[in-house]
Amino acid sequence: MRVRTFALAAAACAGLGLAGLSGAGTASAATPFVIPQIGAAGVELDHGETQALAESPIPALIDRYAPHNAVIVGLQPDSTLLQDGNAVFADLPAIVGEAASHPDGSVDVLLSPKGLGIFQVW
């Protein structure tokens, strides 16, 4: 099960990168980053790539098929999405969509041993 979860998260990360690249044009590309201390890697999407991701089916597919305990989300403090402590009461299409709706909003996507992370940035 652990290998399947990791493979699903890796495929989701690859899909996110492809969605961002295909929607944002050839001059733009997701910025990769690595955090070796925790064994994590990811991509920073710009605003255009985040909008392309929000318009794609990828966030809904992650919600549908990824185990909920393998997906970590980070909301901005001024997010309008419902949250209570560490619990977020929103699906990934809403989380990515909210970031895409901000003029300078974007998301960072992280793949770590704990799972897939989606973090709002603005």
Side-chain angles (χ1 to χ4, degrees):
M1 182 67 175
R2 183 87 169 143
V3 172
R4 186 172 140 219
T5 301
F6 179 77
L8 178 63
C13 239
L16 290 171
L18 291 175
L21 293 175
S22 67
T26 56
S28 177
T31 306
F33 63 89
V34 177
I35 306 171
Q37 297 86 347
I38 62 171
V43 292
E44 296 174 356
L45 301 181
D46 66 20
H47 182 67
E49 293 162 345
T50 300
Q51 287 179 321
L53 177 62
E55 295 170 3
S56 79
I58 294 172
L61 289 172
I62 293 170
D63 261 353
R64 171 87 169 115
Y65 294 108
H68 288 273
N69 61 349
V71 178
I72 303 157
V73 297
L75 301 181
Q76 287 288 55
D78 60 340
S79 171
T80 60
L81 299 175
L82 184 59
Q83 58 185 328
D84 182 20
N86 289 336
V88 175
F89 302 100
D91 59 7
L92 280 181
I95 293 166
V96 175
E98 182 182 43
S101 71
H102 278 74
D104 58 346
S106 64
V107 293
D108 291 348
V109 181
L110 175 76
L111 183 60
S112 75
K114 293 187 178 191
L116 179 68
I118 310 283
F119 302 94
Q120 293 179 330
V121 179
W122 64 73

